[in-house]
Amino acid sequence: MGSSANEVQAQRLVKAFESAWPEVGWVEGRNIHVDYRWAEPSQMRALAAEVVAAAPDVIVANGTSVLNAVREATSSIPVVFVGISDPEGVGIVANLARPGGNMTGLANFEPSMGGKWLQVLKEIAPHLTRVGVLRVPKTHVRILQSIRDTAASSAMEAIDCPVLDAAGIREAVGAFDGQQSTGLIILPDPVFSPLRSLILELAANQHHPAIYPFRNYAEEGGLLCYGINILDQVRRSAFYVDKILRGARPGDLPVQAPTKFELVINLKTAKALGLEVPATLLARADEVIE
């Protein structure tokens, strides 16, 4: 179950999940049936209730906003989450080693990642004096605080921009129009996936250097991304689903940390923004798009 995503990314997620099936012996229609569901933010609660009413053996939830809707709908059906930042800090699990309850899964970013995003953004755009942080309301609280702490130590200002839809994004980013010393940090949430083109367009038109959590942003024209490989996490979630189907309790399965991080820099976008990419940053990049 995930937020509404464009068709290509949705197909990538499904393919990544199903790529693990041969290793655990699943065959669709013979010993497993997977029902993939996607929803707009306004539909998540209704969809979560619908999914829970169908009484599946396991629910896989991709992203914080999706998981929040599932949490409201059930405390008994096993849930494997993917793409959740700081699950212990936001109270999704009791602790990472023994989550307790009906949920476990794969975390994507620890709170300190917020500060790292700001540091990398400042490295490629040293002229910045403020940064707007786009996040879904009431999510990523400790990551936001990490950004604020790092900003304060660098004599920068971090501005919280809680947004949930296209209108909110236009208003938030529009407030920085003409402020050439402002950058953007986009926090991870599947709510933003179908809005990527809008975010990229606004950042480009207003000449705001921006850092993103996933590589597809950089592939589609974003300045740079530093984050996890979400497709790898989705694939790994299938192994936890398998364990649960074979009798394991979610609360006994430790939350897994990310294993792959990637820095991708789009040199074409850097040039359009008039930015000189430091050689030290280029040397650390996993991929450079020219």
Side-chain angles (χ1 to χ4, degrees), residues 9 27 31 37 55-57 72-73 78 95 107-108 117 119 133 149 161 167 203-204 242-243 247 271 275:
Q9 182 65 2
V27 178
N31 57 2
R37 307 295 296 273
D57 295 308
E72 289 182 10
N95 65 70
N108 57 6
W117 278 322
Q119 289 168 354
V133 184
D149 291 344
C161 302
D242 177 65
K243 289 179 183 293
K271 184 177 180 180
L275 299 175

Side-chain angles (χ1 to χ4, degrees), residues 58-61 78-82 102-106 237 240-241 244:
V58 187
I59 296 173
V60 178
V79 177
V80 176
F81 56 74
V82 176
N102 67 317
M103 298 189 178
T104 189
L106 297 97
S237 74
Y240 261 12
V241 170
I244 292 169

Side-chain angles (χ1 to χ4, degrees), residues 116-168:
K116 292 176 183 176
W117 278 322
L118 183 56
Q119 289 168 354
V120 173
L121 186 60
K122 184 77 170 176
E123 198 172 342
I124 198 171
H127 67 284
L128 297 181
T129 59
R130 72 176 62 81
V131 62
V133 184
L134 268 63
R135 65 176 184 132
V136 170
K138 300 180 181 179
T139 65
H140 306 312
V141 175
R142 296 206 300 184
I143 288 180
L144 175 63
Q145 188 58 51
S146 174
I147 295 171
R148 283 176 163 159
D149 291 344
T150 303
S153 67
S154 306
M156 293 181 67
E157 181 184 10
I159 301 170
D160 183 20
C161 302
V163 295
L164 195 57
D165 54 24

